[in-house]
């Protein structure tokens, strides 16, 4: 059976390297799971997650003309265990301070309030940056 991008298949870990793991797929094909595609968390040492001869489910991410197959273990996980594919509420992306704007006011009023708040934040950031800039670095003595 030929593979297609997006298929989830079972394979066996052949070899583990510092950058990923080579997986033996059905029909004798071999693919690579990059270390970033092993788990939903940061993976410092891939050997803590995989051992040689482990059976793993992998999702085929890409196949190139040279026969290289890119695989993912984390994307083969069920949806409820995969935090990267979790649907997010658009309200999660709203700044906390933006929630204080009166939604009953007109768009122009809210925009003016936003611009005023933004200018105040920028001035405060510049003030903090300038004060740190003045207090560090090499000081010259008189005459040099």
């Amino acid at each position: 059976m030929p593979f297609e991008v997006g298929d989830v298949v079972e394979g066996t870990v052949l070899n583990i390297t510092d950058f990923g793991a080579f997986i033996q797929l059905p029909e004798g094909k071999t693919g690579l799971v990059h270390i970033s595609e092993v788990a939903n968390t940061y993976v410092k040492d891939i050997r803590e997650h995989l051992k040689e001869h482990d059976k793993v489910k992998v999702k085929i991410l890409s196949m190139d003309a040279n026969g290289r197959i890119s695989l993912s273990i984390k994307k083969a996980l069920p949806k409820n265990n995969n935090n990267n594919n979790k649907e997010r509420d658009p309200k999660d992306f709203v700044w906390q301070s933006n929630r204080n704007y009166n939604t009953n006011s007109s768009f122009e009023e809210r925009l003016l309030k936003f611009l005023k708040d933004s200018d105040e934040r920028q001035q405060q950031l510049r003030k903090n940056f300038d004060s740190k800039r003045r207090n560090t670095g090499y000081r010259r003595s008189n005459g040099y």
Side-chain angles (χ1 to χ4, degrees), residues 133-142 144:
R133 222 170 158 194
R134 277 185 251 124
N135 293 333
T136 61
Y138 176 76
R139 293 182 183 238
R140 294 183 180 184
S141 61
N142 291 338
Y144 292 103

Side-chain angles (χ1 to χ4, degrees), residues 18-45:
D18 290 338
F19 57 84
F22 289 94
I23 309 294
Q24 178 75 44
L25 301 173
E27 296 185 11
K29 302 255 184 191
T30 303
L32 173 69
V33 175
H34 188 267
I35 192 168
S36 65
E37 293 293 331
V38 171
N40 287 323
T41 59
Y42 175 74
V43 177
K44 184 174 183 178
D45 184 10

Side-chain angles (χ1 to χ4, degrees), residues 67-102:
R68 293 182 293 213
I69 302 173
S70 178
L71 306 169
S72 174
I73 294 173
K74 71 181 182 182
K75 290 184 179 156
L77 296 173
K79 289 271 187 198
N80 59 358
N81 290 339
N82 192 347
N83 292 334
N84 289 345
N85 289 337
K86 183 177 93 170
E87 290 292 324
R88 289 196 164 178
D89 186 356
K91 292 181 214 161
D92 291 346
F93 297 102
V94 177
W95 290 355
Q96 185 67 35
S97 61
N98 288 356
R99 293 180 182 162
N100 295 333
Y101 296 135
N102 183 0

